[in-house]
Amino acid sequence: MAESKIIVVMGATGAQGGGLARAILADKSGAFKVRAVTRNPQSEKARALAALGAEVVAGDSDKPESLLPAFKGAYGAYCVTNYWEVFSVEREQAQAKAQADAAKAAGVRHVIWSSLEDTRKWVPLSDNRMPTLQGKYKCPHFDSKGEMDAYFREKGLPLTIFLTSFYWENFIYFGMGPKPGPDGTLAFALNMGDRPLSGIAAEDIGRCALGIFKKGSEFIGKTVAIAGEHVTGAEMAATLTKVLGRTVKYNAVSNDVYRGFGFPGADDLGNMFQYYHDFNDYFCGIRDVKASRALNPELQNFETWAARNAKLIPLG
Ligand code: NAP
């Protein structure tokens, strides 16, 4: 049997990269092996990956030179940045560039860049339907990544641009889950009206990425957008009601109400949901569920995910 090829996984201790690392480690074909990059190889999550068989190496996207040894000798690289840790487009973009530069220097043969749309292509700064944030963005955590597509392309990397969708885990870890209202009824809020939201189980993102690496050249030079299902707020509420055994309501709030929620990034997310709503045909259209399932036959829909994760959703 041919020797397994190394895939460098950025964010391997996180949701996207973790899903990819576990997918590769569970893949019986043995086509690939995992080199998990983390700032802290001693962390519990890093040690858990090592116990599963991953090579765990130190690397920090804020220190570009630290990535070079991590990428050396690799066949593939999964590049991902975490805007929500830094809340800075400048820093996220410097991290993305460090990853692209390391992939180029190492001569990596297939790079997946986990990007998102630059929403300003749909909502230019002059469009006042939503406020401009940080002086030059509509949706900073999207625009930041979308702007980096050109950097990855201009490096001449063998590249797949990978567009993910809303993680349903946001109902567990991101404070977006149902909360009791004044009368005790559980409710969650989105400014999506009655339009569907493209969502996915976070673990399925990595499984789709493995599908892309396995197909190799078929996806180089392509953009691949994935989703597990497109579901409306009302549909998600009905499913949550079923799996939690308690009534859950969906509050379709206005864009301004969502932006005004006051948690860090509420304005960015309010603009994001407005973008999902206003350009719903595009957003759901490009995120092809059937094609995502072809990459990852285990792809979950919302009901499957909710039934498996009901106990983890905090209801306080
Ligand atoms: P996550 O679960 O929050 O974990 C963050 C990962 O990034 C960790 O593995 C961490 O590794 C790594 N990391 C952070 N800073 C690093 C640095 N300087 N150098 C090396 N590694 C670093 O992350 P995620 O959810 O997989 O990905 C985050 C991105 O997903 C965000 O940019 C967000 O915009 C995007 N996204 C989110 C959603 C959603 O619905 N939530 C949907 C689509 C896209 P160590 O701590 O081990 O070093």
Side-chain angles (χ1 to χ4, degrees):
M1 201 175 98
E3 208 191 323
S4 309
K5 296 187 255 185
I6 299 169
I7 305 283
V8 176
V9 183
M10 296 304 301
T13 57
Q16 295 191 25
L20 173 59
R22 286 182 288 276
I24 296 172
L25 292 164
D27 178 28
K28 293 196 172 55
S29 82
F32 301 114
K33 52 190 173 188
V34 176
R35 185 180 289 160
V37 183
T38 171
R39 290 166 295 180
N40 180 7
Q42 296 312 320
S43 73
E44 204 176 309
K45 286 181 174 173
R47 282 190 282 117
L49 286 173
L52 288 173
E55 177 193 2
V56 175
V57 300
D60 183 341
S61 302
D62 285 326
K63 298 176 186 146
E65 67 291 349
S66 75
L67 296 184
L68 299 176
F71 278 65
K72 204 169 170 200
Y75 161 83
Y78 187 77
C79 296
V80 60
T81 48
N82 185 11
Y83 178 85
W84 300 114
E85 183 172 326
V86 293
F87 278 90
S88 155
V89 170
E90 201 179 36
R91 206 154 139 212
E92 178 175 51
Q93 292 191 337
Q95 293 177 353
K97 286 178 181 172
Q99 295 179 23
D101 292 350
K104 184 70 185 176
V108 169
R109 287 166 34 214
H110 192 174
V111 175
I112 297 181
W113 160 231
S114 181
S115 189
L116 287 167
E117 283 89 347
D118 183 339
T119 63
R120 296 166 299 177
K121 289 183 188 157
W122 288 263
V123 193
L125 296 186
S126 57
D127 185 333
N128 292 324
R129 79 176 73 199
M130 59 178 75
T132 293
L133 304 177
Q134 301 174 23
K136 47 185 176 173
Y137 304 104
K138 287 298 187 185
C139 187
H141 76 288
F142 264 59
D143 303 347
S144 168
K145 295 177 183 67
E147 210 170 64
M148 283 298 99
D149 294 358
Y151 191 86
F152 278 82
R153 281 202 187 97
E154 283 157 18
K155 286 249 133 200
L157 291 164
L159 179 68
T160 303
I161 292 177
F162 192 44
L163 303 175
T164 59
S165 42
F166 176 88
Y167 310 169
W168 293 319
E169 279 72 8
N170 293 332
F171 286 127
I172 304 175
Y173 305 112
F174 218 69
M176 291 187 182
K179 307 267 180 310
D183 68 350
T185 308
L186 294 170
F188 67 92
L190 295 171
N191 51 319
M192 288 287 299
D194 60 1
R195 304 271 165 90
L197 173 62
S198 294
I200 194 161
E203 196 73 5
D204 280 330
I205 296 173
R207 293 185 186 129
C208 290
L210 173 59
I212 294 171
F213 279 126
K214 281 186 151 181
K215 295 271 182 189
S217 54
E218 186 180 326
F219 287 108
I220 289 175
K222 302 261 166 63
T223 294
V224 177
I226 57 163
E229 196 178 8
H230 311 294
V231 252
T232 63
E235 287 165 346
M236 288 193 281
T239 299
L240 290 172
T241 298
K242 192 165 138 189
V243 303
L244 295 171
R246 276 177 70 178
T247 299
V248 176
K249 289 196 168 146
Y250 163 52
N251 283 335
V253 297
S254 73
N255 298 320
D256 285 338
V257 164
Y258 198 98
R259 284 190 276 266
F261 275 155
F263 61 83
D267 49 0
D268 190 340
L269 291 175
N271 282 7
M272 174 189 81
F273 288 124
Q274 184 180 351
Y275 165 74
Y276 284 171
H277 174 275
D278 291 2
F279 301 94
N280 201 256
D281 287 349
Y282 158 76
F283 199 87
C284 292
I286 192 174
R287 286 164 169 77
D288 184 338
V289 173
K290 211 167 140 205
S292 305
R293 187 157 290 116
L295 291 169
N296 163 24
E298 294 173 62
L299 190 78
Q300 296 158 73
N301 63 15
F302 183 68
E303 182 157 354
T304 308
W305 175 87
R308 287 181 185 164
N309 290 276
K311 289 200 170 63
L312 298 175
I313 300 173
L315 303 176

